[in-house]
Amino acid sequence: MNERDNSITTRDLCLWYGKFQALINVTINIRHGLITSLIGPSGCGKTTLLRCFNRINERYGYVTTTGEIKLLNKNIYDPDVSLIELRKSVGMVFQRPNPLPISVYENVVFGLRIHSDRKPARSELDDAVEKALTEVGLWNDLRDRLDTKATNLQLEQQQKLCIARLLPLKPEIILMDEPCSALDVEATRAIEELMLSLKGRYSIVIVTHNMAQARRASDECIFMLLGEIIEHARTADLFLNPKNPKTAEYIEGRYG
Amino acid sequence: MNSTPSSPATSPAPFVSNPRVRRKLRQERIAQAVFATMVVLMLLPLLGILVYLVVRGAPLISWEFLTTNPSKGMTAGGIWSALLGTVWLVVVSLAFSAPIGVLAAVYLNEYAKDNWFTRVVNLAVVNLAGVPSIVHALFGLGAFVLFFGMGRSILAASLTLAVMTMPVVITATREALGAVPMSFREACWNVGATRWQTIRRIVLPNAVSGILTGVILEISRKAGETVPIMFTGAVFFRAIPEGDLFAYRLTDQCMALSMHLYTVTTQVTGAPAALPFAVATVLILAIILINATSIAIRAWLRSHRKW
Ligand SMILES: Nc1ncnc2c1ncn2[C@@H]1O[C@H](COP(=O)(O)OP(=O)(O)OP(=O)(O)O)[C@@H](O)[C@H]1O
Ligand SMILES: [Mg+2]
């Protein structure tokens, strides 16, 4: 495997919340342009790991991290790394859709506005909105309602909007933390299709409790248990021939 | 109807009231009555005060009463210089305490890490709110009037009021900021917004109604205080040009409604009996007016917000 194929690599990553160790010697290589799913029982550290990749964990004063995290072969703990630029390139989608309490339009261009020094031209913003909303499949539904408050949309639309909000910034990596757990079956399908259509251009890491979803939507799969990586393989292999007995137990539904 | 199936003769008809249920209902009615009585007991004195004041004071209140200086040893004339003095004290003091209080609260809520320093500051704010006004008065006298050499003046009195009512704004602002869901902030940070961008674009617009409420509450606190201004800048009597809103200077001493009420009640003989009531009525109506504005603004802003 070529070095350049990796979009996220960690070496001996450990993380403590105060005295509690939530991640233990995590070493992974997440490949570029693929969808990688992260599965494991509740509390095993999936969210924690995901939040390491954009260094959002540091918001809490009592978090300590050791080890190395490289995104696109750049160590994100290097002193010259700017958190602002990092988070611009690493988008995050949350379990509960969290559109900002402003209009649909403003939600999509929020990133552009905060990252440009001059006031962006109206036409530039209009284009970005159309492009991003088209990409997530919301344009036809919302083109006449761009002024509605985003928090009034249906949950599915809100979640798609949260994805659309990342696109104008041209992120390299999109992190999704159980993006479908607040959605119904139809909406879940829609989000999965969206992920598949975004694949290739973006590296996507998705945390999910839904085995079927992991199987359907991801190329590679990582199984975690109690803060450790147990197995990382192509999704088909992991589900058909798990190497580790613990993985087998989990996907057969014995715990979690 | 004819085809109604007959129920077994032994079991009682379903859903029918019985003595046990009736006893519960009786308890329920008694409980409700007790609570309602307490509401009446609480409201009576409040309404009583208000009605009594207005009825006794109303005959004296007129446009002229509001716009003429007291005269004849304060037994005649109006309350112009006191009214304007209160307005000046409130506005000047607000000019200090509102920006400082709001911005400090933003720092404490949005930037400060949760460490011993922040905790000490929070403790200080809470305790500052509980310090009796006479202590603030002495502090104002020592610090502003004497140490900083402002003399007894509107400036010194306003600053004393500002220090005294700062905790009100800080607390209200922090509550308003705290009510903005954390997920909004996270959403902003996750697209690389700085804290300031997050505050300006999302947090403040959604907290503004709560902040305004705090500021307005503070106004009514300031308008009603007597002791702190008595020590630091309010005088018993002072005549100023009538009808001129800028009749005072910052370095002047001034009259104030709260202090004037104290004066005409306890220090002046031969004033009409209605005079203290009229002054009190004006003071209370002003405060009610300010609070009503606050409620209206809040209701209006709330109706324009949804998440
Ligand atoms: N902010 C925090 N402070 C302290 N401990 C935390 C914090 N967040 C998570 N933890 C702990 O770290 C461990 C891992 O939590 P994490 O949220 O990463 O698990 P998860 O795999 O995402 O679980 P879930 O599937 O329920 O979302 C848990 O034991 C949790 O209690
Ligand atoms: Mg989680």
Side-chain angles (χ1 to χ4, degrees):
Chain A
M1 208 191 321
N2 190 326
E3 264 278 284
R4 297 194 43 231
D5 290 340
N6 292 329
S7 71
I8 304 176
T9 60
T10 69
R11 196 131 40 81
D12 292 329
L13 174 64
C14 296
L15 183 143
W16 290 262
Y17 290 113
K19 294 223 157 28
F20 173 77
Q21 186 165 13
L23 294 179
I24 304 162
N25 294 327
V26 169
T27 299
I28 46 174
N29 298 306
I30 291 177
R31 300 205 12 233
H32 187 71
L34 298 188
I35 300 178
T36 304
S37 59
L38 204 50
I39 60 173
S42 224
C44 68
K46 305 182 294 295
T47 301
T48 305
L49 179 59
L50 209 61
R51 288 165 70 95
C52 284
F53 300 149
N54 61 1
R55 289 180 57 183
I56 206 91
N57 278 331
E58 293 165 37
R59 292 271 163 192
Y60 306 105
Y62 55 94
V63 171
T64 5
T65 320
T66 62
E68 185 186 79
I69 307 176
K70 281 184 170 180
L71 264 58
L72 311 170
N73 289 320
K74 171 77 181 163
N75 186 335
I76 61 171
Y77 284 100
D78 276 353
D80 62 344
V81 165
S82 142
L83 285 184
I84 291 172
E85 290 300 316
L86 174 67
R87 291 185 186 140
K88 187 176 156 192
S89 320
V90 183
M92 186 138 184
V93 179
F94 295 80
Q95 185 165 356
R96 278 210 62 78
N98 61 347
L100 293 167
I102 46 183
S103 71
V104 171
Y105 187 97
E106 285 302 319
N107 260 282
V108 179
V109 300
F110 186 82
L112 287 180
R113 283 201 197 281
I114 60 170
H115 285 291
S116 52
D117 310 323
R118 55 186 179 84
K119 214 168 148 40
R122 183 78 194 183
S123 60
E124 186 186 334
L125 297 181
D126 288 345
D127 290 346
V129 170
E130 178 167 356
K131 194 152 166 277
L133 289 183
T134 310
E135 229 174 316
V136 300
L138 278 182
W139 178 246
N140 286 331
D141 290 345
L142 295 185
R143 60 192 306 169
D144 301 320
R145 293 199 287 145
L146 294 176
D147 293 335
T148 38
K149 217 167 183 181
T151 36
N152 293 343
L153 299 176
Q154 299 158 12
L155 277 183
E156 174 192 345
Q157 293 176 324
Q158 290 189 13
Q159 194 62 302
K160 285 179 168 175
L161 181 65
C162 290
I163 299 174
R165 176 171 72 194
L166 306 174
L167 304 182
L169 294 176
K170 311 213 177 344
E172 302 284 344
I173 296 167
I174 299 181
L175 309 172
M176 301 186 175
D177 192 357
E178 302 183 40
C180 300
S181 64
L183 305 180
D184 65 17
V185 180
E186 284 293 311
T188 301
R189 285 272 175 202
I191 299 283
E192 283 172 17
E193 270 161 32
L194 171 58
M195 280 163 45
L196 291 172
S197 76
L198 295 175
K199 176 174 136 179
R201 281 169 295 162
Y202 311 97
S203 308
I204 299 178
V205 184
I206 174 178
V207 170
T208 179
H209 275 285
N210 179 337
M211 296 299 133
Q213 177 169 57
R215 292 183 82 153
R216 277 196 302 268
S218 68
D219 304 295
E220 294 201 345
C221 189
I222 299 174
F223 172 61
M224 286 182 76
L225 194 60
L226 296 175
E228 288 182 280
I229 303 288
I230 303 295
E231 191 161 349
H232 178 184
R234 287 187 44 229
T235 303
D237 296 342
L238 187 128
F239 279 95
L240 291 177
N241 304 307
K243 298 240 165 16
N244 192 309
K246 288 180 191 158
T247 315
E249 273 180 46
Y250 181 70
I251 60 184
E252 282 161 22
R254 298 236 195 105
Y255 53 123
Chain B
M1 285 308 267
N2 295 334
S3 63
T4 310
S6 58
S7 54
T10 48
S11 72
F15 316 137
V16 171
S17 178
N18 57 41
R20 209 159 37 87
V21 170
R22 279 192 287 277
R23 197 172 67 240
K24 279 196 210 162
L25 283 179
R26 212 159 44 238
Q27 288 170 350
E28 172 71 14
R29 274 195 300 273
I30 292 172
Q32 190 178 357
V34 169
F35 292 127
T37 314
M38 294 306 152
V39 172
V40 174
L41 284 184
M42 167 205 89
L43 278 179
L44 274 181
L46 283 182
L47 281 177
I49 292 174
L50 204 62
V51 170
Y52 183 63
L53 283 180
V54 174
V55 168
R56 301 271 322 251
L60 261 190
I61 297 177
S62 64
W63 183 245
E64 214 198 325
F65 180 72
L66 298 178
T67 55
T68 54
N69 285 323
S71 56
K72 304 216 178 91
M74 292 198 270
T75 55
I79 52 166
W80 168 249
S81 48
L83 187 60
L84 187 67
T86 292
V87 171
W88 268 70
L89 287 173
V90 167
V91 170
V92 173
S93 146
L94 207 57
F96 290 104
S97 66
I100 296 180
V102 170
L103 299 186
V106 168
Y107 182 84
L108 290 176
N109 209 63
E110 304 293 320
Y111 287 93
K113 293 220 172 71
D114 185 24
N115 54 23
W116 67 268
F117 179 73
T118 323
R119 282 195 285 268
V120 168
V121 171
N122 288 339
L123 210 62
V125 170
V126 172
N127 282 313
L128 198 58
V131 172
S133 57
I134 182 79
V135 176
H136 281 286
L138 289 171
F139 168 76
L141 181 64
F144 300 123
V145 176
L146 300 175
F147 184 79
F148 289 109
M150 293 173 193
R152 291 171 34 85
S153 62
I154 291 183
L155 189 59
S158 301
L159 284 170
T160 310
L161 284 179
V163 171
M164 202 183 90
T165 54
M166 194 94 76
V168 180
V169 222
I170 295 187
T171 312
T173 306
R174 291 199 62 175
E175 269 168 26
L177 296 173
V180 176
M182 202 58 195
S183 64
F184 291 165
R185 295 186 184 84
E186 297 209 329
C188 291
W189 296 338
N190 271 293
V191 288
T194 60
R195 284 193 190 235
W196 166 234
Q197 286 173 322
T198 308
I199 292 166
R200 183 165 61 91
R201 290 171 182 271
I202 300 297
V203 179
L204 279 186
N206 282 292
V208 75
S209 72
I211 296 176
L212 271 182
T213 313
V215 169
I216 291 172
L217 265 181
E218 199 198 1
I219 295 181
S220 49
R221 276 285 310 276
K222 290 182 201 286
E225 280 302 333
T226 315
V227 180
I229 56 174
M230 211 155 152
F231 277 49
T232 53
V235 287
F236 286 106
F237 177 72
R238 187 186 160 102
I240 53 167
E242 286 163 4
D244 179 3
L245 286 176
F246 296 94
Y248 284 117
R249 303 259 147 272
L250 283 181
T251 49
D252 286 349
Q253 301 189 335
C254 66
M255 287 184 72
L257 280 181
S258 52
M259 171 112 162
H260 190 52
L261 179 56
Y262 168 74
T263 313
V264 295
T265 318
T266 61
Q267 313 285 305
V268 174
T269 46
L275 185 55
F277 294 101
V279 176
T281 305
V282 172
L283 186 56
I284 287 202
L285 287 184
I287 289 175
I288 290 180
L289 193 72
I290 294 168
N291 285 347
T293 321
S294 121
I295 293 170
I297 293 179
R298 196 163 35 159
W300 184 79
L301 286 169
R302 283 255 167 91
S303 67
H304 283 248
R305 170 184 86 182
K306 256 194 213 95
W307 61 59

